[in-house]
Amino acid sequence: MLAEPTRLRVFSAVVLGASTLPAAAEAAGVSAKETAVALRRLQDGGLVVESEGLLAARTGHFKDIVRDTRTTEEPERHGYADEEVESLLRTFVRDGRLVRLPSQWGRRRIVLQHLTHRTFSTDTTYDERSVNEELKAWCEGAGTDHVTVRRYLVDLCLLGREAGRYWLRTDIQPAL
């Protein structure tokens, strides 16, 4: 119903207070004829009603849609007792993937430490190709590429690097 741009503009005008056809046309920036056609379609679809010559939007449909799409599932858990850490991870890690990196370094370190300990073993060394493959799985669809994440892991001493080999650092104070 709202996929057509003119209808969307006319509906927006009505939602924002245009209560007559001329007011809706002016607010939407379209001709009176186009506005009349759009209003007729919006009325047929139940999104706009006319009562005593005044237009009004029926926004209850949207509340119903939101109510119906809300899930009652428990939020994703990452295995930490600290609720602040869980909340942080729910914001930046979903379904085993990195959504994006926090801008604050302290938070970034916690997210990257979670990623590191879920991905790498303490008794294994990895070549750069293996590290990249593991991190690509985390970064798929994120706003950050795996190379940037790999650099952060080394810079924050979460991974050690020497002669093209990487390992999980255990000689540092954990942030988690």
mmCIF file of all heavy atoms in Angstrom, residues 125-141:
data_model
loop_
_atom_site.group_PDB
_atom_site.id
_atom_site.type_symbol
_atom_site.label_atom_id
_atom_site.label_comp_id
_atom_site.label_asym_id
_atom_site.label_seq_id
_atom_site.Cartn_x
_atom_site.Cartn_y
_atom_site.Cartn_z
ATOM 1 N N THR A 125 48.579 -22.772 17.421
ATOM 2 C CA THR A 125 49.056 -21.612 16.672
ATOM 3 C C THR A 125 48.383 -21.649 15.302
ATOM 4 O O THR A 125 48.064 -22.718 14.778
ATOM 5 C CB THR A 125 50.592 -21.613 16.503
ATOM 6 O OG1 THR A 125 50.978 -22.791 15.800
ATOM 7 C CG2 THR A 125 51.297 -21.525 17.834
ATOM 8 N N TYR A 126 48.184 -20.479 14.754
ATOM 9 C CA TYR A 126 47.437 -20.340 13.508
ATOM 10 C C TYR A 126 48.263 -19.552 12.510
ATOM 11 O O TYR A 126 48.959 -18.605 12.884
ATOM 12 C CB TYR A 126 46.135 -19.570 13.761
ATOM 13 C CG TYR A 126 45.234 -20.206 14.787
ATOM 14 C CD1 TYR A 126 45.390 -19.917 16.143
ATOM 15 C CD2 TYR A 126 44.233 -21.092 14.408
ATOM 16 C CE1 TYR A 126 44.570 -20.489 17.102
ATOM 17 C CE2 TYR A 126 43.412 -21.667 15.356
ATOM 18 C CZ TYR A 126 43.591 -21.361 16.699
ATOM 19 O OH TYR A 126 42.774 -21.940 17.633
ATOM 20 N N ASP A 127 48.158 -19.936 11.244
ATOM 21 C CA ASP A 127 48.767 -19.088 10.222
ATOM 22 C C ASP A 127 47.786 -17.969 9.877
ATOM 23 O O ASP A 127 46.621 -18.006 10.286
ATOM 24 C CB ASP A 127 49.157 -19.904 8.981
ATOM 25 C CG ASP A 127 47.990 -20.553 8.257
ATOM 26 O OD1 ASP A 127 46.828 -20.298 8.631
ATOM 27 O OD2 ASP A 127 48.237 -21.315 7.312
ATOM 28 N N GLU A 128 48.262 -16.971 9.153
ATOM 29 C CA GLU A 128 47.433 -15.789 8.874
ATOM 30 C C GLU A 128 46.180 -16.154 8.090
ATOM 31 O O GLU A 128 45.103 -15.607 8.335
ATOM 32 C CB GLU A 128 48.247 -14.739 8.117
ATOM 33 C CG GLU A 128 47.523 -13.420 8.007
ATOM 34 C CD GLU A 128 48.415 -12.295 7.554
ATOM 35 O OE1 GLU A 128 49.427 -12.022 8.221
ATOM 36 O OE2 GLU A 128 48.081 -11.683 6.521
ATOM 37 N N ARG A 129 46.288 -17.089 7.188
ATOM 38 C CA ARG A 129 45.129 -17.506 6.395
ATOM 39 C C ARG A 129 44.041 -18.097 7.290
ATOM 40 O O ARG A 129 42.862 -17.792 7.142
ATOM 41 C CB ARG A 129 45.532 -18.530 5.340
ATOM 42 C CG ARG A 129 44.350 -19.047 4.537
ATOM 43 C CD ARG A 129 44.798 -19.979 3.492
ATOM 44 N NE ARG A 129 45.540 -19.198 2.513
ATOM 45 C CZ ARG A 129 45.614 -19.495 1.231
ATOM 46 N NH1 ARG A 129 45.012 -20.551 0.787
ATOM 47 N NH2 ARG A 129 46.292 -18.742 0.417
ATOM 48 N N SER A 130 44.425 -18.918 8.258
ATOM 49 C CA SER A 130 43.456 -19.514 9.183
ATOM 50 C C SER A 130 42.788 -18.449 10.039
ATOM 51 O O SER A 130 41.579 -18.488 10.266
ATOM 52 C CB SER A 130 44.141 -20.535 10.090
ATOM 53 O OG SER A 130 44.688 -21.577 9.330
ATOM 54 N N VAL A 131 43.583 -17.482 10.530
ATOM 55 C CA VAL A 131 43.025 -16.395 11.327
ATOM 56 C C VAL A 131 42.023 -15.613 10.495
ATOM 57 O O VAL A 131 40.912 -15.300 10.944
ATOM 58 C CB VAL A 131 44.148 -15.472 11.866
ATOM 59 C CG1 VAL A 131 43.566 -14.231 12.521
ATOM 60 C CG2 VAL A 131 45.033 -16.230 12.841
ATOM 61 N N ASN A 132 42.400 -15.304 9.259
ATOM 62 C CA ASN A 132 41.492 -14.556 8.379
ATOM 63 C C ASN A 132 40.194 -15.305 8.134
ATOM 64 O O ASN A 132 39.108 -14.707 8.160
ATOM 65 C CB ASN A 132 42.174 -14.242 7.042
ATOM 66 C CG ASN A 132 43.205 -13.152 7.164
ATOM 67 O OD1 ASN A 132 43.193 -12.361 8.099
ATOM 68 N ND2 ASN A 132 44.118 -13.113 6.210
ATOM 69 N N GLU A 133 40.266 -16.593 7.907
ATOM 70 C CA GLU A 133 39.059 -17.385 7.658
ATOM 71 C C GLU A 133 38.142 -17.394 8.876
ATOM 72 O O GLU A 133 36.925 -17.256 8.745
ATOM 73 C CB GLU A 133 39.422 -18.817 7.235
ATOM 74 C CG GLU A 133 40.023 -18.910 5.859
ATOM 75 C CD GLU A 133 39.132 -18.323 4.773
ATOM 76 O OE1 GLU A 133 37.916 -18.608 4.749
ATOM 77 O OE2 GLU A 133 39.656 -17.562 3.942
ATOM 78 N N GLU A 134 38.728 -17.561 10.050
ATOM 79 C CA GLU A 134 37.926 -17.546 11.278
ATOM 80 C C GLU A 134 37.249 -16.188 11.474
ATOM 81 O O GLU A 134 36.080 -16.110 11.844
ATOM 82 C CB GLU A 134 38.797 -17.877 12.499
ATOM 83 C CG GLU A 134 39.333 -19.289 12.517
ATOM 84 C CD GLU A 134 38.266 -20.336 12.738
ATOM 85 O OE1 GLU A 134 37.180 -20.015 13.254
ATOM 86 O OE2 GLU A 134 38.515 -21.504 12.392
ATOM 87 N N LEU A 135 37.997 -15.116 11.229
ATOM 88 C CA LEU A 135 37.454 -13.774 11.448
ATOM 89 C C LEU A 135 36.448 -13.379 10.372
ATOM 90 O O LEU A 135 35.514 -12.620 10.641
ATOM 91 C CB LEU A 135 38.587 -12.751 11.537
ATOM 92 C CG LEU A 135 39.510 -12.929 12.747
ATOM 93 C CD1 LEU A 135 40.627 -11.895 12.710
ATOM 94 C CD2 LEU A 135 38.746 -12.874 14.053
ATOM 95 N N LYS A 136 36.619 -13.889 9.157
ATOM 96 C CA LYS A 136 35.637 -13.612 8.101
ATOM 97 C C LYS A 136 34.254 -14.107 8.506
ATOM 98 O O LYS A 136 33.249 -13.458 8.230
ATOM 99 C CB LYS A 136 36.043 -14.283 6.788
ATOM 100 C CG LYS A 136 37.074 -13.527 6.005
ATOM 101 C CD LYS A 136 37.390 -14.265 4.710
ATOM 102 C CE LYS A 136 38.517 -13.607 3.968
ATOM 103 N NZ LYS A 136 38.867 -14.344 2.726
ATOM 104 N N ALA A 137 34.209 -15.257 9.161
ATOM 105 C CA ALA A 137 32.920 -15.798 9.601
ATOM 106 C C ALA A 137 32.256 -14.855 10.598
ATOM 107 O O ALA A 137 31.042 -14.671 10.577
ATOM 108 C CB ALA A 137 33.118 -17.177 10.225
ATOM 109 N N TRP A 138 33.038 -14.237 11.474
ATOM 110 C CA TRP A 138 32.492 -13.284 12.446
ATOM 111 C C TRP A 138 32.067 -11.989 11.779
ATOM 112 O O TRP A 138 31.110 -11.355 12.201
ATOM 113 C CB TRP A 138 33.540 -12.959 13.519
ATOM 114 C CG TRP A 138 33.633 -13.959 14.606
ATOM 115 C CD1 TRP A 138 34.508 -15.005 14.683
ATOM 116 C CD2 TRP A 138 32.832 -14.030 15.785
ATOM 117 N NE1 TRP A 138 34.295 -15.717 15.824
ATOM 118 C CE2 TRP A 138 33.272 -15.130 16.529
ATOM 119 C CE3 TRP A 138 31.792 -13.265 16.285
ATOM 120 C CZ2 TRP A 138 32.706 -15.485 17.741
ATOM 121 C CZ3 TRP A 138 31.230 -13.615 17.497
ATOM 122 C CH2 TRP A 138 31.681 -14.712 18.208
ATOM 123 N N CYS A 139 32.799 -11.561 10.767
ATOM 124 C CA CYS A 139 32.608 -10.224 10.183
ATOM 125 C C CYS A 139 31.640 -10.201 9.012
ATOM 126 O O CYS A 139 31.323 -9.115 8.507
ATOM 127 C CB CYS A 139 33.950 -9.659 9.735
ATOM 128 S SG CYS A 139 35.084 -9.366 11.101
ATOM 129 N N GLU A 140 31.174 -11.346 8.558
ATOM 130 C CA GLU A 140 30.269 -11.391 7.418
ATOM 131 C C GLU A 140 29.030 -10.547 7.698
ATOM 132 O O GLU A 140 28.309 -10.763 8.669
ATOM 133 C CB GLU A 140 29.863 -12.832 7.135
ATOM 134 C CG GLU A 140 29.055 -12.994 5.878
ATOM 135 C CD GLU A 140 28.745 -14.452 5.625
ATOM 136 O OE1 GLU A 140 29.652 -15.282 5.767
ATOM 137 O OE2 GLU A 140 27.583 -14.740 5.294
ATOM 138 N N GLY A 141 28.810 -9.520 6.883
ATOM 139 C CA GLY A 141 27.660 -8.643 7.035
ATOM 140 C C GLY A 141 27.882 -7.501 8.011
ATOM 141 O O GLY A 141 27.010 -6.671 8.201
#
